[in-house]
Amino acid sequence: KPTLQSLRKLQEAYEKAGNNFRAAETMELIAELYPASVNFNSIGVLYDNAGDRNKAIEFYELALQQSPNNQHAVFNLGTSLKQKNPKLAGELLSKAYDLDPSDCPIMREYAKNLESKGNKEEADQLRQKAFDKYMNKWKANTLRDFEYSWFSNLADYLGKSSMAKDIGSS
């Protein structure tokens, strides 16, 4: 039986190599062998990044069974279901926002949900609030890696094209 430490190193090596699918499979093995040491939401994110939306959804749902108010799993499942089940996706994004209204990715996606329901003014206010938070994090050099593209896209959406380019080149 491989040790937890050796499996974690293998998973990290796959991630560094950009092989999210193999990293997710390795985390699945960790979940089977060492169930108390795994985060199902993280497995879902890896499968999502690898392009396997169905496996991602499966693990987001497992994460929610484990912790029904995990705002990250609620958010990730909501964004993953936008094409497959828009109504449920909207409910999940609304729940994610209720759980953490200060999270920029949640604000950004919830704004899309609001706009799809005809609440453009409220959606624009929420986008601006997310933009301002991202801007503060960018100035403080505390943006997480994945946030650069989200911030850049949001800046572009808000008509700040030159700012989007600056963010994207950071």
Side-chain angles (χ1 to χ4, degrees):
K1 175 178 169 180
T3 66
L4 176 59
Q5 182 182 9
S6 67
L7 289 171
R8 288 263 185 239
K9 285 183 180 181
L10 179 60
Q11 173 223 328
E12 290 169 10
Y14 280 135
E15 283 188 67
K16 284 181 184 173
N19 193 335
N20 291 312
F21 188 79
R22 292 284 185 222
E25 286 183 326
T26 304
M27 283 189 79
E28 259 193 276
L29 180 58
I30 292 170
E32 287 175 31
L33 299 175
Y34 303 97
S37 64
V38 75
N39 178 326
F40 290 124
N41 184 63
S42 295
I43 298 172
V45 169
L46 287 168
Y47 274 123
D48 225 341
N49 291 341
D52 192 335
R53 180 67 41 98
N54 290 329
K55 287 289 276 189
I57 289 169
E58 175 186 332
F59 281 95
Y60 296 146
E61 288 173 340
L62 285 171
L64 288 177
Q65 287 174 14
Q66 221 175 29
S67 179
N69 291 322
N70 177 329
Q71 79 266 15
H72 299 294
V74 172
F75 170 76
N76 290 333
L77 182 58
T79 57
S80 294
L81 290 173
K82 285 195 292 190
Q83 303 298 327
K84 201 175 202 177
N85 188 339
K87 184 176 188 239
L88 179 56
E91 292 169 8
L92 289 165
L93 291 171
S94 181
K95 180 179 178 179
Y97 183 73
D98 289 343
L99 289 168
D100 190 354
S102 67
D103 183 85
C104 291
I106 291 174
M107 284 191 279
R108 184 178 163 269
E109 290 301 308
Y110 183 60
K112 289 179 187 177
N113 187 46
L114 287 171
E115 188 168 17
S116 74
K117 293 179 179 178
N119 298 330
K120 182 161 176 30
E121 188 176 323
E122 188 179 352
D124 287 343
Q125 289 172 356
L126 196 53
R127 283 186 183 101
Q128 186 61 51
K129 185 177 173 183
F131 178 85
D132 293 343
K133 280 194 77 166
Y134 275 137
M135 178 62 83
N136 289 336
K137 290 174 81 173
W138 188 50
K139 287 179 179 176
N141 202 27
T142 59
L143 277 177
R144 295 174 284 181
D145 289 342
F146 71 89
E147 289 181 307
Y148 282 91
S149 63
W150 288 25
F151 182 27
S152 178
N153 289 339
L154 182 58
D156 197 41
Y157 180 87
L158 294 173
K160 303 170 193 282
S161 301
S162 63
M163 174 64 102
K165 288 178 187 170
D166 289 345
I167 297 161
S169 64
S170 295

